[in-house]
Amino acid sequence: MKSNALLFAVAIVLSSIIFGYAVINRNRPQGTVNVTGLGEKNFTSDLIVWEGNFSRSNSNIQSAYANLEKDREAVTQYLISKGIPEEQLVFNAVTTNPQYEQNYSSDGRYMGQTFTGYQLNQSLVIESKEVEKVEKISREITELLNQGIAFYSQQPRYYYTDLESLKLEMIAKATEDARVRAERIAENSGAGLGNLISANMGVFQITGQNSGEDYSWGGAFNTSSKNKTASITMKLVFEVD
């Protein structure tokens, strides 16, 4: 009985010591400071990619193709007259789609379909560093309607050709911002900032300026806005002296 009581007492003492050490260790400073810095810059796109398409329909495929060829020549001459070099005009292959009319009886029963002809489509892509010029043409292309050409213009896409240099600049800004934050935290704590332990780069984001666009876990990459904002975060861990 005495030995059991002695073992129980020893267990109580050891538990108290271990618990007390855990509390003390938990409340000790970790000796590091973790900070996140932001690098951000506004810039203007220097490359535009614009696409459009036009089509012709006819019951005879040869006639449809001949009309489409006339439209292609008219589109080419129009764009050249607007200052676009012919070598920048990239016409994709013609696509052919058979057209059918659905037939129904007077009481709504489906009666099959009737072949009505062919629709031929062709798309055009222009890639240029003359952003303002192509942007203006994309808005004025409806002038082709006066020539009987139904040209459908898509929204231009905007890019930046020196993205890698921009990204390096953002990393430098984010790193400096994080270092300044760490120095202030250490100073306010009455400590000194020590060596850098680790640095982790966050996701590179490109959003439209003043767009309210949300960031993405995989990285936003806006192509619809000419004026954009690039940003990146850096997570740094420093020793604290």
Side-chain angles (χ1 to χ4, degrees):
M1 291 293 291
K2 289 184 178 180
S3 61
N4 289 339
L6 180 61
L7 289 173
F8 181 74
V10 170
I12 292 294
V13 172
L14 288 174
S15 298
S16 300
I17 293 172
I18 293 171
F19 177 74
Y21 176 79
V23 170
I24 294 170
N25 190 55
R26 183 186 62 188
N27 293 324
R28 284 178 57 194
Q30 295 299 307
T32 61
V33 58
N34 298 263
V35 288
T36 299
L38 174 65
E40 199 171 55
K41 183 178 181 179
N42 293 329
F43 67 97
T44 300
S45 303
D46 62 356
L47 179 70
I48 186 171
V49 178
W50 173 55
E51 297 184 49
N53 64 85
F54 51 98
S55 64
R56 282 287 182 173
S57 298
N58 199 292
S59 58
N60 181 277
I61 192 169
Q62 286 82 9
S63 297
Y65 187 78
N67 290 332
L68 194 71
E69 278 292 294
K70 291 179 181 177
D71 288 349
R72 172 175 171 165
E73 181 60 28
V75 170
T76 299
Q77 294 306 315
Y78 174 84
L79 293 172
I80 290 175
S81 71
K82 293 291 185 178
I84 302 297
E86 188 170 3
E87 59 270 18
Q88 288 185 1
L89 306 180
V90 180
F91 289 91
N92 294 319
V94 175
T95 59
T96 304
N97 299 304
Q99 302 293 295
Y100 298 91
E101 180 182 354
Q102 308 303 314
N103 302 315
Y104 296 89
S105 64
S106 57
D107 59 356
R109 288 184 297 111
Y110 180 66
M111 303 293 290
Q113 58 185 11
T114 303
F115 175 74
T116 59
Y118 300 92
Q119 183 185 63
L120 274 60
N121 299 275
Q122 188 160 41
S123 61
L124 164 71
V125 181
I126 295 175
E127 184 176 306
S128 174
K129 299 201 74 173
E130 295 183 286
V131 177
E132 288 75 17
K133 178 189 286 186
V134 176
E135 193 176 46
K136 185 172 183 289
I137 292 172
S138 72
R139 295 192 297 264
E140 297 175 345
I141 196 69
T142 50
E143 292 174 347
L144 286 172
L145 290 172
N146 297 328
Q147 301 181 40
I149 302 171
F151 190 98
Y152 300 95
S153 174
Q154 296 185 21
Q155 180 73 20
R157 302 191 303 275
Y158 300 92
Y159 300 92
Y160 189 64
T161 57
D162 199 16
L163 205 56
E164 284 306 310
S165 295
L166 180 65
K167 188 174 182 179
L168 291 174
E169 183 180 348
M170 294 302 94
I171 292 173
K173 284 188 174 183
T175 301
E176 177 61 17
D177 182 55
R179 187 188 62 79
V180 171
R181 291 170 185 265
E183 286 178 345
R184 289 176 180 172
I185 292 172
E187 182 181 346
N188 291 337
S189 302
L193 194 65
N195 296 325
L196 176 66
I197 298 175
S198 66
N200 292 290
M201 184 176 67
V203 178
F204 187 51
Q205 308 273 0
I206 296 180
T207 57
Q209 283 184 30
N210 307 314
S211 64
E213 195 173 347
D214 291 332
Y215 288 162
S216 165
W217 285 108
F221 191 83
N222 177 287
T223 60
S224 60
S225 302
K226 179 170 63 176
N227 298 313
K228 309 177 192 291
T229 299
S231 62
I232 198 168
T233 57
M234 288 294 296
K235 296 181 179 180
L236 306 184
V237 180
F238 288 93
E239 291 179 342
V240 176
D241 298 329

